[in-house]
Amino acid sequence: MLELAVGIILGACALGAGIAMVAGIGPGIGEGNAVAKACEAIGRQPETRSEVTTTMLMGCAVAETTGLYALIIAILLLFVAPGRLVNILLEAVGK
Amino acid sequence: MKKADKKFQLADRLLIFMTILPIIIGIVIKVLTTPAEEGIAVHGALIYFTLPAPVQNLPITESQVNSWLVMTAIAFLCLYLTHGIRRGVETKRQYFCEWIVEMCYGMVKGNMGEFFKEFAPFIASILALSAFSSLICLFGLYSPTSDINVVAGWAILVFGLITYYKMKCGPKQYLKSFGEPVKFLAPLNIISEVATPISMSFRHYGNVLSGSVISVLVASGLQGVSAKLFSGINFPFLQIGIPAVLSIYFDVFSGCLQAYIFAMLTMLYVSGGFPAEEYFRRKAEKSKKVN
């Protein structure tokens, strides 16, 4: 029975990490839009290339933030959560 | 004259040596403390030892030690670059430093305005520290920026600066700024205020850490593949060179880009939070009263 419980914890953590990374869609679309518009702007006014590139990189970095939150949650679920949850389970069983 | 030249060269060599020495020390410490037969795995910063402290024991970790090493290396690099700068004598080294200083001042002036001109050394040191901390993993050391505690420390420092410049017109004005544009948005404004250091630290740390996690995954995958392909020989042939290609993006490009973005966001937040109009109006009033 204990093996099953530990297995459920590990599987649920891995599944949760995978589902959390669905949030990667958002930054992908956002950054794609930003780069597309930057390319258009450079095509229209090639002389503003360096300024547009700097602004685009800044915007991309800010748009990336939500994806990184999801990534950190996924990393926590993969590397930190299983050990903790198993410890909690073992304590509960030990009582 | 010749003796002075010799002395100058000797000092030069000493400074270069002192720049490289911290990295060598880091590698030696890493080799001595890494447990044998560990293989490739994702792990956090090693704890070298813990100092006993009154409230909670203070662990001295790999990231702390490495960031001190990076700081010493940068300090000696700056000493080397500025060694022997004189008026009228123009060398390549001098042009290089002048280019760096001018670039930093230009960047700060362009993004923050004339009032924040004195910020250039601070921004330059943030840039250098962050970029070199990310680049140190090219030597196989644990980069301090992939530890959230280090980056969160920087972000809290920047948050303090932002708050200080927002309070330039007194705490009353600062509290009033939360009720803008409408009074009932105050809770949201407070949340977005608190989110600033969190998002800054998570952005930098997440980028560097995700790069190292992906590199480790690729390296361990290649180990498995080469074990299948060359089953007779116990040597991971595919691990030679191939993971280094990823390092060009994840370590070099991403590390430098994140350093730039951290510095840029610092500049934008500090100069954006500063109530410039109110401050200059009050200053003008004050000078009128004195006159």
Side-chain angles (χ1 to χ4, degrees):
Chain A
M1 208 55 202
L2 199 63
E3 286 91 352
L4 183 66
V6 171
I8 287 173
I9 286 176
L10 294 180
C13 281
L15 264 181
I19 294 168
M21 282 318 290
V22 172
I25 294 172
I29 295 173
E31 285 182 27
N33 268 336
V35 177
K37 293 285 177 194
C39 287
E40 271 177 29
I42 292 173
R44 222 178 289 132
Q45 284 170 303
E47 68 275 7
T48 59
R49 185 194 168 93
S50 62
E51 280 172 39
V52 169
T53 314
T54 340
T55 318
M56 184 200 76
L57 284 178
M58 280 295 304
C60 281
V62 175
E64 216 174 38
T65 313
T66 49
L68 285 168
Y69 291 157
L71 175 84
I72 285 160
I73 287 173
I75 286 174
L76 286 179
L77 275 174
L78 277 181
F79 297 114
V80 181
R84 265 196 193 189
L85 293 178
V86 169
N87 276 345
I88 291 171
L89 175 81
L90 290 181
E91 265 178 26
V93 170
K95 272 173 194 170
Chain B
M1 186 65 197
K2 204 157 190 205
K3 210 176 175 187
D5 263 10
K6 230 178 187 178
K7 250 187 187 171
F8 183 82
Q9 267 191 353
L10 198 71
D12 251 17
R13 280 201 196 130
L14 189 71
L15 286 173
I16 293 177
F17 176 70
M18 291 301 284
T19 310
I20 303 168
L21 187 69
I23 297 164
I24 297 170
I25 291 175
I27 292 172
V28 168
I29 293 175
K30 173 106 181 168
V31 168
L32 287 181
T33 54
T34 306
E37 293 295 321
E38 199 189 65
I40 302 168
V42 179
H43 60 84
L46 286 175
I47 294 174
Y48 286 144
F49 58 90
T50 44
L51 285 177
V55 181
Q56 196 181 8
N57 282 346
L58 189 69
I60 302 296
T61 60
E62 215 175 350
S63 47
Q64 266 163 310
V65 173
N66 280 0
S67 56
W68 274 99
L69 294 178
V70 169
M71 279 190 263
T72 21
I74 292 174
F76 279 107
L77 185 68
C78 290
L79 281 179
Y80 169 72
L81 283 176
T82 54
H83 186 219
I85 280 189
R86 264 165 295 162
R87 212 180 211 166
V89 186
E90 280 147 1
T91 52
K92 268 186 203 164
R93 204 190 296 175
Q94 187 168 340
Y95 282 128
F96 185 64
C97 334
E98 278 174 6
W99 175 70
I100 292 176
V101 170
E102 269 169 22
M103 195 186 66
C104 285
Y105 271 94
M107 203 167 82
V108 170
K109 262 187 202 166
N111 289 309
M112 296 174 88
E114 193 69 26
F115 182 76
F116 289 102
K117 202 174 58 187
E118 287 82 7
F119 257 70
F122 176 68
I123 299 294
S125 51
I126 280 189
L127 258 177
L129 185 56
S130 172
F132 279 91
S133 301
S134 299
L135 289 178
I136 202 174
C137 63
L138 292 179
F139 295 102
L141 298 172
Y142 183 85
S143 73
T145 41
S146 59
D147 187 340
I148 188 155
N149 301 310
V150 173
V151 190
W154 302 349
I156 290 167
L157 176 73
V158 170
F159 179 69
L161 257 182
I162 296 167
T163 313
Y164 173 76
Y165 274 95
K166 277 191 175 172
M167 285 219 193
K168 267 281 184 183
C169 290
K172 218 172 167 186
Q173 196 71 28
Y174 174 69
L175 290 178
K176 238 187 226 169
S177 74
F178 283 114
E180 278 173 7
V182 199
K183 276 264 165 64
F184 67 80
L185 283 179
L188 283 181
N189 280 333
I190 290 170
I191 290 173
S192 73
E193 191 78 11
V194 175
T196 308
I198 295 176
S199 76
M200 271 176 97
S201 56
F202 275 17
R203 182 177 302 123
H204 196 149
Y205 141 84
N207 266 295
V208 179
L209 182 72
S210 68
S212 63
V213 167
I214 292 172
S215 302
V216 166
L217 287 181
V218 168
S220 56
L222 285 173
Q223 192 174 24
V225 170
S226 59
K228 276 269 154 57
L229 284 180
F230 313 102
S231 49
I233 317 152
N234 190 17
F235 190 77
F237 282 105
L238 288 177
Q239 270 185 0
I240 303 168
I242 295 176
V245 178
L246 286 174
S247 164
I248 294 172
Y249 175 77
F250 285 125
D251 295 341
V252 180
F253 177 73
S254 186
C256 292
L257 184 69
Q258 288 311 312
Y260 175 73
I261 283 165
F262 195 89
M264 201 75 172
L265 284 178
T266 306
M267 287 192 278
L268 292 182
Y269 281 136
V270 170
S271 64
F274 178 60
E277 281 177 30
E278 180 75 16
Y279 181 75
F280 288 122
R281 197 177 58 81
R282 285 189 187 190
K283 215 176 175 187
E285 266 178 18
K286 234 182 205 174
S287 63
K288 245 183 216 168
K289 261 182 202 168
V290 171
N291 291 338

